[in-house]
């Protein structure tokens, strides 16, 4: 997709996301970062673990590690 444009668009909660018009594709949820994070990390991640009894007595504490990566500043052709 040589020459494809990438736009920055605002989501419903005001956070930015990337949009590729040629693909009609958004990088993150159009609802916003908060809704996407709640869905992925809380509803699909933490809640099932708690429902299974993890992180509760007698199993001990539940540890959570969140890793963020620095944005790619320059994309090169491979």
């Amino acid at each position: 997709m040589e020459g494809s444009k990438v736009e920055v668009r605002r989501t419903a909660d005001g956070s930015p996301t990337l949009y590729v018009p040629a693909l009609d594709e958004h990088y993150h949820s159009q609802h916003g970062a908060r809704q996407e994070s709640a869905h992925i990390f809380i509803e699909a991640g933490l809640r099932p673990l708690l429902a299974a009894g993890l992180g509760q007595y007698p199993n001990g504490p539940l540890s959570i590690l969140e890793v963020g990566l620095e944005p790619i500043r320059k994309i090169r052709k491979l």
Side-chain angles (χ1 to χ4, degrees), residues 45-59 62:
L46 182 60
R47 224 177 270 289
L49 294 176
L50 295 176
L54 297 174
Q56 300 170 31
Y57 181 82
N59 297 320
L62 180 66

Side-chain angles (χ1 to χ4, degrees), residues 23-54:
L23 300 173
D24 190 27
E25 189 70 36
H26 291 84
Y27 185 72
H28 288 289
S29 168
Q30 296 177 57
H31 299 287
R34 187 169 202 272
Q35 185 275 346
E36 181 177 4
S37 294
H39 172 73
I40 292 170
F41 296 112
I42 305 299
E43 298 303 323
L46 182 60
R47 224 177 270 289
L49 294 176
L50 295 176
L54 297 174

Side-chain angles (χ1 to χ4, degrees), residues 1 9 12-13 15 18 21 33 56 59 64-65 67 72 77:
M1 274 189 356
R9 294 215 174 155
D13 70 1
S15 61
L18 298 177
Q56 300 170 31
N59 297 320
I64 299 173
L65 171 66
V67 178
I72 297 172
K77 286 186 179 181

